[in-house]
Amino acid sequence: MRGGDAVTGYPVHPALLVLADGRFPAGGHAHSGGLEAAVRSGRVSDTASLEEFCSGRLHTVGLTAAALAAAAASGADPLALDEAADARTPAPALRAASRRLGRQLLRAARVAWPDPALDDLAARFPRGAHQPLVLGVTAAAAGLAPAQAATAVAYETVSGPVTACVRLLGLDPFQATAVLARLADAVGAVACDATRAADAVAATGDVDLLPTGGAPLLDVTAEEHARWPVRLFAT
């Protein structure tokens, strides 16, 4: 089938839709990706500022996470990738959240796509591996390619804050969806860049070739957000 998936022949691998669906019980609905703090500070107040926030997040931490997932889907060493994720997540609150999300995702994945690699990951990381690593291994178990794992993570990087903004600001959901639509090409481009980085890791075994993009303001506000006595989202 022209333009079809290399594994199934479908235009889009159905497992990618399941994995990227916000209703998949992986815990992501409880996280705003830093948007709650951005809304309180006034840095996000409408669709224009939401789009700027999501674009910045996508091209920094989104690229880094997508590359980690693609490398995991390629079969890179999980321990090395988990250490790489730790080094690329300087905020303790975000490191803890990533492992909680990884643990929740792994629980759901082992039911949806039973696979020895997922069982091994659970045994090696009883307290939870970083979420992008788990997503990459899950993607491989579901029959997805590394590029598809990267796409799922890149999309999640922007879809989470957009969904949260509807709740936090009462944003028109139609306008919020339009933000996602405008970011679609950027999501695809970031996924391609992440996949190329993962290919380099697969060729050399050197996880230091993965992107190191970060967003210091997200790290700072994540620590502040974790100390709020009342908040709507976990991050």
Side-chain angles (χ1 to χ4, degrees), residues 76-221:
D77 176 38
L79 181 58
L81 289 178
D82 195 73
E83 291 175 347
D86 234 21
R88 289 161 174 76
T89 313
L94 294 182
R95 284 200 298 270
S98 179
R99 291 191 183 279
R100 285 197 303 271
L101 285 168
R103 189 164 58 244
Q104 176 69 13
L105 172 58
L106 188 55
R107 288 179 60 195
R110 293 175 76 188
V111 175
W113 298 287
D115 189 277
L118 295 172
D119 297 335
D120 180 65
L121 197 63
R124 294 182 69 174
F125 298 95
R127 299 179 63 182
H130 279 286
Q131 193 262 5
L133 163 59
V134 177
L135 192 143
V137 177
T138 297
L144 297 175
Q148 293 168 320
T151 300
V153 170
Y155 173 73
E156 180 184 63
T157 299
V158 295
S159 63
V162 166
T163 301
C165 202
V166 173
R167 297 171 63 185
L168 289 165
L169 286 177
L171 201 65
D172 181 344
F174 296 127
Q175 294 299 323
T177 300
V179 169
L180 280 179
R182 289 193 294 272
L183 289 169
D185 286 344
V187 167
V190 165
C192 287
D193 289 344
T195 304
R196 283 192 287 271
D199 288 343
V201 172
T204 64
D206 184 2
V207 298
D208 288 340
L209 296 176
L210 291 172
T212 59
L217 186 57
L218 286 180
D219 295 324
V220 171
T221 56

Side-chain angles (χ1 to χ4, degrees), residues 57-72:
R57 193 169 192 272
L58 173 64
H59 287 93
T60 55
V61 296
L63 172 61
T64 299
L68 284 162

